[in-house]
């Protein structure tokens, strides 16, 4: 007799109640690394989405009146609850998005640290007083009190690759700033997101302050984005979706963390061992499914051969396989993603690129692949694979490296490897990116550093303090004194 496996069903949270959708429709979530179904989440109706948004609006009015210290207490206890649920959360992340177990555990700890730091930073937020007399003598009787006020209801939309961390990175700064949140996790990642909200609920979340909405973006996404009670949208995901959100949001402020094509520029005088080690970990960890992964190498001709050899050698140390074994390179999120990467490799080899290493595939698992001799006519030179493949583009000089780096539609981060600091700073100044890493891999953290992308890589600034500032707005109260 065939055994019928039951599948765990997860509810949504709206206005303090965990519920199943009246649609009676569920979305099954399959693990990227096995045939297992991880669970199912609710496909909410537009009506339920409306209740979530209106409930958040109401809860926000009360929350805005709480002191920073009271708001911080909720965050401290959320961080505590997350750490208590660390094992369950890490295992869920591992199964749901195929991240290596050790990295999944790190994600949970990093998130708790993020939330605690956000609470601290919020408590240190203060306004300023501006003297009117500094502008002209006639305004000497004026004083501007500039304070930071909440924006209202923040719509937080998180991606699959950091289902806990990139959700909390939106929710915690929004809450400390006095906002309410409607949280829509990526469908693949929604179970991890749900567990994270369970931790917040256990921590004493006031009813309606964070409402969890699940469902297909294609069904409820536009309804949420264009909802008149949403006051700000904070999204992480693909650039095309980000652009579409930005257009539909019209006058609603947006913070968008989108794609990247981060180059590692390696100059002739670089420490090649260091560059190779950083390129391998920066490019291949979590199978390259990170917006900040190194996605192309611009190597100066003279040392390119040596660099490529060192990268290939270090790639031997990558663990490829199952998330349960804490592998660095695990199956990609779905077959569409894997097909896309395969297509980019095929296009490059057809046009003359050589495979230094990799290009093996079983199911959605693509072995780490290094392509040499990549030229500008190949798609891999410009497209974001979001997978474990790095192209090497050889350049004659620094100017050519800068030119190719800036030709990209993306502008998230860039790494420069050289011993010449002065030159590194000069090159960094020329690069059209949000951050430049000198002698280090591209990455978002530490999480209190400002984090931003230019061009198709994003809008707005994040990083704990900047995120709080981006999710609050200045309010100016002018005191007009009769006498000074
Ligand atoms: O995928 C986008 C993330 O913000 C990257 O974060 O640099 O810590 O991996 P990470």
């Amino acid at each position: 007799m065939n055994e019928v496996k039951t599948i765990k069903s997860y509810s949504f949270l709206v206005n303090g109640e965990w519920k199943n959708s009246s649609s009676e429709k569920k979305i099954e979530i399959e693990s990227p690394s096995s045939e297992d179904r991880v669970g199912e989440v609710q496909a909410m109706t537009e009506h339920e989405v409306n209740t979530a948004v209106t409930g958040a609006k109401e809860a926000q009015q009360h929350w805005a009146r709480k002191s920073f210290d009271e708001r911080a207490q909720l965050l401290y206890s959320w961080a505590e609850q997350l750490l208590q649920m660390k094992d369950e959360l890490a295992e869920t992340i591992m199964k749901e998005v195929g991240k290596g177990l050790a990295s999944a555990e790190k994600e949970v700890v990093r998130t708790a640290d993020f939330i605690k730091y956000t609470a601290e930073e919020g408590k240190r937020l203060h306004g300023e007083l501006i003297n009117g007399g500094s502008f002209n003598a006639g305004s000497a009787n004026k004083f501007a009190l500039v304070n930071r006020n909440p924006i209202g209801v923040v719509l937080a939309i998180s991606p699959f690759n950091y289902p806990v961390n990139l959700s909390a990175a939106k929710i915690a700064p929004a809450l400390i700033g006095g906002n309410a949140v409607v949280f829509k996790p990526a469908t693949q990642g929604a179970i991890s997101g749900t567990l994270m909200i369970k931790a917040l609920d256990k921590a004493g979340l006031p009813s309606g302050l964070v409402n969890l909405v699940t469902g297909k973006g294609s069904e409820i996404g536009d309804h949420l984005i264009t909802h008149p009670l949403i006051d700000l949208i904070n999204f992480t995901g693909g650039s095309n979706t980000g652009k579409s959100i930005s257009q539909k949001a019209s006058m609603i402020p947006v913070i968008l963390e989108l794609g990247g094509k981060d180059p590692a520029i390696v100059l002739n005088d670089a420490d090649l061992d260091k560059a190779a080690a950083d390129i391998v970990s920066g490019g291949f960890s979590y199978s390259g499914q990170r917006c900040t992964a190194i996605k192309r190498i611009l190597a100066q001709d003279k040392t390119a051969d040596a660099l490529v050899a060192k990268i290939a050698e270090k790639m031997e140390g990558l663990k490829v396989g199952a998330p349960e074994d804490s592998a660095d390179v695990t199956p990609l999120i779905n077959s569409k993603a894997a097909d896309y990467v395969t297509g980019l490799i095929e296009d490059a080899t057809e046009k003359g690129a050589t495979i230094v290493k990799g290009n093996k595939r079983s199911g959605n698992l693509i072995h780490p692949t290094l392509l040499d001799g990549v030229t500008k006519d190949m798609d891999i030179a410009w497209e974001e694979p979001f997978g474990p493949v790095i192209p090497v583009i050889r350049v004659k000089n620094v100017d050519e490296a800068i030119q190719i780096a800036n030709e990209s539609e993306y502008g998230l981060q860039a790494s420069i490897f050289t011993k010449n600091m002065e030159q590194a700073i000069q090159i960094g100044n020329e690069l059209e990116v949000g951050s430049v890493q000198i002698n280090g891999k591209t990455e978002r953290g530490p999480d209190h550093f400002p984090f931003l992308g230019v061009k198709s890589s994003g809008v707005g600034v994040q990083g704990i303090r900047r995120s709080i500032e981006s999710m609050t707005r200045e309010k100016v109260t002018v005191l007009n004194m009769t006498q000074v």
Side-chain angles (χ1 to χ4, degrees), residues 110 161-162 166 257 289-292 386 443-445 451:
R110 176 182 181 180
N161 64 345
Y162 279 95
L166 281 174
E257 179 190 343
Q289 295 176 113
R290 298 164 47 241
C291 58
T292 48
F386 229 65
E443 62 185 346
R444 172 168 47 119
F451 180 55

Side-chain angles (χ1 to χ4, degrees), residues 333-350:
I333 195 72
N334 53 40
S335 56
K336 191 171 159 211
D339 291 347
Y340 182 62
V341 174
T342 307
L344 288 174
I345 297 172
E346 275 167 15
D347 172 76
T349 49
E350 273 160 25

Side-chain angles (χ1 to χ4, degrees), residues 9 46 122 151 168 190 225 279 283 293 297 308 351 428 444 449 471:
S9 194
E46 286 191 356
I151 289 189
I225 290 157
I279 286 168
I297 299 165
V308 168
K351 290 176 181 159
R444 172 168 47 119
F449 284 5
M471 287 195 254

Side-chain angles (χ1 to χ4, degrees), residues 256 411-413 433-435 449-454 457-463:
L256 307 173
L412 191 56
Q413 297 204 350
V433 292
S435 313
F449 284 5
F451 180 55
L452 69 155
V454 301
S457 288
V459 173
V461 189
Q462 299 183 92

